[in-house]
Amino acid sequence: MKIATREIIREIDRLAIEKYGIPSIVLMENAGRAAADVLVKEFPYANRAAVFAGSGNNGGDGFVIARHLIGQGLKITTYIASDIRKYKGDALINLNALIKMGAKIVELNDNGLRKYRRADVIVDALLGTGIDRKITGFYQRIIEFINAREEPCLAVDIPSGLDSNTGFPLGSTIVADLTVTFVLPKLGTSIYPGAEFAGDIYVADITTPKLLEANIKYELLTNKEVRDLLIPRRPDSHKGTYGHLLILAGSTGKSGAATLAAMGAYRVGSGLVTVGVPESLNAIMEEKTTEAMTEPIPETKQHTFGSVSLLRVLEILSDGKTALTIGPGISTTDDALEFLYEIIRQCEVPILIDADGITLVAKEPKILREAKAPVVLTPHPGEMSRLMGISTEEVQKDRIGLSIDFSKRFNSYLILKGARSLISTPEGNIYVNTTGNAGMASGGMGDVLSGAVGGFLAQGLDPSNACRLGVFAHGLAGDIVANQLGKVGIIARDVADTLPKSLNEIPSMDKYPVTRIR
C-alpha cells in the first residue's frame, strides 16, 4: 500500500477536484461517513460520542461524522474550537447542516472545556495533515485535555499535532487508540514515533482516482504487498533449484554469527548453504552446523579474513554460488578491509553486507560504486551513523531521507533496521515494514535477517524483492514467537526456526495484524 506525505495528499485532493471534477464536499462527505462507520464497528458499545472539531477541513470531517452518528442513533455533542462565525466553505456547510438537525453544539473557549460531559468515545477532528508548526495556546490545552481523559480516542486522518511527514509530535499531540486516515496512510503515522500516537490504522477510500497514486515511491509493506513474492516449490524441484548461498562470517568469539546466518538462509528455503570461516574456526563450525557445508578459509595471523583469503574465496564463489552474505563477525582490521573491498570489486553474484562489513564500508562508502553485482547493506542506526558520518540521534530524526540519499548516492539497496525497518533502493523507492516487535531486541536477530535476505537473493529474487520479503517474514516470525511465548526472552534461534511458519502465514496474515489496514 502506498504512503503519502502532506504534499502528495494535497496534490491528490487538488487533482481529484480540479481535473476529475469530484466536488470537495463529496470528498468530505465520503471521509466523514467512512470514519463514522469505523467508529460504530470498533466501539459497538458506544452510546455517546464527543466530537472535537477544529476550524478547517478536519473539523468539517468531524461535522459529517457527528451527523452520521446521530443518524445511527448515538447521542453526540460537538465541541467546536473556533468562533462559529469563522467557519467557511465545506466545513461551514456541514456545520450548518448539523445545527439545522438540532444537534448539540458547544463553542469552546478558555472556560468551554468545563462544559464537557463524559462520552464513550472521543473523536479528534481538530487539526489535519497540513499542520507543520508547533501547537501552542488554546489548541494545546484542548489536546492536553483530551489526552487526560480515560475515554478511547478516534483520530480523524491523523492525530492532531502530529507532523504527517516526519512522525514527530509538534509539541502537544493527541494519543489516539485508532486513526481513520483517508486515501492513503500518512508517512508520519507509518514510522515511529508517529505510529505510537496513531494506534491502529484504518485506511478509508473516499473515491479519489487510484491512478493518482501511481508514481508514489513510498510504500507500506503488508501481506498483500509481499505474498506475490513467495517462491512456489515445483513438485520436480531439487536442492539445486533454490540456489547456493555462500556466507563469509565469524572470527574468534563470533562464530555464532555465521551459524545464525546459515539458519536464516536455510529456513527461508535456500537449497544449499556454505559457510566460509577462518580456517582455525572450521572444526567448531562443523560441530555447530548440520545442514550447511563449511569451508576453511586461509586466515591472517589474527585468525581473521584478510588478503590471504581472497583467492580461495573467489574460487568458491565461481563454483556455482548464486549469492554472498558477508560481514557478521569478520572483524574490522585493515587486512579485513582490504579483503572486503576486493570482494566488492570482483564478486559477480549479489552481495549482502552486514555488521563488521558495514563498519568497514563506512570508512570509504564510495567503494560500493565499484561493485559488479547488486549490493545490499543491513545497518542498525549506529552502523547507519557511521555510514553517513553523523550521530545516531541525527539518523533517527530522518531515517527515510537518509536511507533514500544513501541508496541513490552509492547505488545500493539498504535495510535500515529498527522499529518499522526501512528498505530503500537506488531508484529512490522506500518501503516501510509493518512486522516485528520489541521482543526482537536481542543479539543475533540481525544475523538471522542477513541469512534470510541472502537466502532469497540466492534463490533468484531481485534485491528489492529479496529485501522486502526477507524483512517482512523475519519480523512476522518474531511476531508469531511473541504471540506464543511473550516478548521477553525471545532469542534469535526462535525467530530462525519460525521462519517457515512465517512464510506459510503470509497469505492469511490477518491473524497477526500490526496495523489494521482496511
Side-chain angles (χ1 to χ4, degrees):
M1 178 174 285
K2 298 294 179 70
I3 310 171
T5 62
R6 69 171 63 90
E7 293 80 12
I8 289 171
I9 282 295
R10 191 178 294 130
E11 183 65 4
I12 288 175
D13 283 347
R14 186 188 68 81
L15 290 173
I17 295 165
E18 296 179 7
K19 183 176 180 179
Y20 292 91
I22 304 173
S24 58
I25 198 164
V26 170
L27 299 178
M28 183 175 286
E29 179 71 17
N30 292 342
R33 182 174 61 248
D37 289 344
V38 170
L39 186 148
V40 171
K41 178 180 179 180
E42 285 296 307
F43 306 103
Y45 58 84
N47 183 46
R48 297 176 180 272
V51 177
F52 284 79
S55 59
N57 284 338
N58 200 246
D61 295 336
F63 299 144
V64 176
I65 293 169
R67 175 162 47 81
H68 280 278
L69 292 178
I70 291 170
Q72 296 193 52
L74 277 72
K75 297 176 182 178
I76 307 298
T77 302
T78 303
Y79 298 87
I80 59 174
S82 179
D83 186 319
I84 200 166
R85 294 166 296 183
K86 293 184 179 180
Y87 283 93
K88 58 184 179 180
D90 297 338
L92 177 60
I93 292 172
N94 280 294
L95 174 58
N96 285 333
L98 201 57
I99 292 170
K100 290 176 181 178
M101 290 177 66
K104 186 176 180 180
I105 309 288
V106 175
E107 189 173 340
L108 293 175
N109 50 44
D110 284 330
N111 294 318
L113 291 174
R114 297 178 183 176
K115 299 178 181 179
Y116 177 81
R117 294 293 177 268
R118 180 176 175 83
D120 299 313
V121 182
I122 291 174
V123 175
D124 161 34
L126 291 168
L127 302 168
T129 59
I131 299 298
D132 59 1
R133 62 186 182 277
K134 187 174 182 180
I135 308 302
T136 59
F138 186 47
Y139 273 94
Q140 179 183 3
R141 291 194 289 278
I142 298 173
I143 289 171
E144 290 173 351
F145 173 84
I146 293 173
N147 284 341
R149 304 296 306 176
E150 294 181 354
E151 298 95 308
C153 179
L154 181 151
V156 177
D157 209 12
I158 193 168
S160 293
L162 189 69
D163 189 303
S164 60
N165 283 1
T166 69
F168 282 93
L170 296 165
S172 294
T173 301
I174 289 290
V175 181
D177 298 275
L178 170 66
T179 297
V180 181
T181 197
F182 308 126
V183 185
L184 293 171
K186 307 307 181 287
L187 185 58
T189 56
S190 301
I191 57 177
Y192 281 94
E196 193 168 3
F197 289 91
D200 290 340
I201 297 174
Y202 275 87
V203 181
D205 176 18
I206 63 171
T207 70
T208 53
K210 289 298 179 184
L211 58 86
L212 296 177
E213 305 168 11
N215 296 322
I216 297 174
K217 292 194 171 186
Y218 302 92
E219 189 167 313
L220 191 69
L221 286 183
T222 71
N223 62 317
K224 292 180 181 179
E225 280 67 49
V226 300
R227 63 189 177 194
D228 290 340
L229 306 180
L230 293 169
I231 301 167
R233 312 284 285 194
R234 288 177 53 88
D236 60 346
S237 59
H238 54 84
K239 62 187 178 183
T241 306
Y242 302 107
H244 192 162
L245 177 68
L246 174 62
I247 297 171
L248 296 176
S251 57
T252 301
K254 297 180 179 178
S255 60
T259 305
L260 290 169
M263 291 176 66
Y266 264 131
R267 290 300 195 183
V268 298
S270 295
L272 293 164
V273 177
T274 294
V275 180
V277 293
E279 56 191 354
S280 61
L281 295 179
N282 192 66
I284 297 172
M285 191 54 54
E286 286 190 339
E287 290 185 11
K288 284 191 167 189
T289 58
T290 302
E291 294 84 3
M293 296 173 282
T294 66
E295 277 284 353
I297 306 297
E299 62 184 28
T300 68
K301 292 180 180 179
Q302 292 76 35
H303 307 297
T304 64
F305 293 109
S307 55
V308 68
S309 315
L310 182 63
L311 181 59
R312 179 59 185 145
V313 167
L314 292 176
E315 289 175 348
I316 296 169
L317 280 168
S318 66
D319 186 22
K321 305 303 180 289
T322 53
L324 169 65
T325 288
I326 184 170
I330 65 171
S331 84
T332 56
T333 65
D334 290 343
D335 213 2
L337 181 148
E338 183 180 343
F339 165 72
L340 175 64
Y341 283 18
E342 281 303 314
I343 290 293
I344 292 171
R345 291 187 181 105
Q346 298 190 49
C347 183
E348 296 185 354
V349 297
I351 309 171
L352 183 144
I353 303 174
D354 187 25
D356 287 345
I358 294 173
T359 298
L360 295 173
V361 167
K363 296 180 180 181
E364 201 66 61
K366 66 182 181 182
I367 185 64
L368 298 171
R369 299 192 189 115
E370 300 182 41
K372 286 185 177 180
V375 178
V376 176
L377 291 93
T378 60
H380 57 58
E383 292 163 342
M384 189 66 177
S385 75
R386 293 194 280 277
L387 286 170
M388 302 300 294
I390 58 178
S391 70
T392 303
E393 290 73 21
E394 289 174 291
V395 169
Q396 294 295 71
K397 287 179 181 178
D398 189 18
R399 287 164 55 86
I400 286 179
L402 293 171
S403 295
I404 293 173
D405 176 61
F406 187 90
S407 287
K408 285 183 174 180
R409 277 201 291 150
F410 299 108
N411 193 36
S412 59
Y413 298 82
L414 191 82
I415 298 171
L416 179 51
K417 295 180 286 192
R420 297 289 167 95
S421 293
L422 304 177
I423 299 149
S424 55
T425 74
E427 298 77 28
N429 295 307
I430 196 88
Y431 302 92
V432 180
N433 188 44
T434 58
T435 59
N437 62 83
M440 299 174 73
S442 66
M445 292 291 176
D447 301 320
V448 174
L449 176 64
S450 294
V453 177
F456 285 129
L457 289 170
Q459 292 176 69
L461 270 71
D462 72 63
S464 175
N465 292 344
C467 290
R468 286 186 285 164
L469 183 55
V471 170
F472 188 89
H474 179 261
L476 179 56
D479 289 339
I480 295 171
V481 173
N483 185 65
Q484 295 170 343
L485 304 179
K487 294 180 181 178
V488 177
I490 297 174
I491 60 174
R493 193 181 306 116
D494 295 331
V495 172
D497 288 343
T498 309
L499 280 167
K501 182 174 178 61
S502 166
L503 294 171
N504 189 56
E505 290 280 355
I506 285 174
S508 56
M509 191 208 136
D510 286 347
K511 189 175 181 182
Y512 303 100
V514 177
T515 54
R516 307 183 70 174
I517 306 298
R518 296 290 189 269

